[in-house]
């Protein structure tokens, strides 16, 4: 606290006093986009979508192989208050296999599989 206050001491007529402090941690994903959906099974995912290594923008109609019963709902960071209710509804629709009220591109952008896809494209797996 003293180190943070030191550069500002000359700007104020009254001396600055430390009255207390607060810190916090927000859970964010590496790309700062929420992570919502089923967790892919890595080995099958690599086999099924390995073509992305050579053709990153290739559109594929195959279903993603998932870990049975393993879902992610995290990475909301500072925007959680705004996105949590809507994404909770999306997760419920995914879990109950109901029609999802979100564009496919947006659904893919929040999927945990995006991290696996990036690893395949950059050849880190």
């Amino acid at each position: 606290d003293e180190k943070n206050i030191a550069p500002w001491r000359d700007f104020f007529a009254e001396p600055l006093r430390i009255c207390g402090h607060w810190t916090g941690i927000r859970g964010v994903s590496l790309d700062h986009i929420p992570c919502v959906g089923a967790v892919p099974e890595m080995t099958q995912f690599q086999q099924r979508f390995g073509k992305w290594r050579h053709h990153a923008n290739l559109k594929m109609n195959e279903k993603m192989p998932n870990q049975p019963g393993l879902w992610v709902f995290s990475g909301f960071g500072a925007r959680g208050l705004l996105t949590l209710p809507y994404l909770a509804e999306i997760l419920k629709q995914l879990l109950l296999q109901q029609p999802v009220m979100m564009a496919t591109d947006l659904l893919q952008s929040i999927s945990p599989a995006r991290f696996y896809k990036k690893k395949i494209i950059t050849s880190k797996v």
Side-chain angles (χ1 to χ4, degrees), residues 3 7 10 13 54 59 69 75 82 89 95 113 116 124:
K3 185 178 177 182
D10 296 336
H54 306 291
K59 301 288 183 200
L82 298 173
E89 184 65 25
L95 285 166
Y116 291 114
K124 291 184 180 175

Side-chain angles (χ1 to χ4, degrees), residues 85-97:
Y86 180 65
L87 292 176
E89 184 65 25
I90 297 298
L91 181 64
K92 182 191 86 166
Q93 292 167 348
L94 290 169
L95 285 166
L96 299 176
Q97 297 179 352

Side-chain angles (χ1 to χ4, degrees), residues 7 50 60:
M60 301 177 75

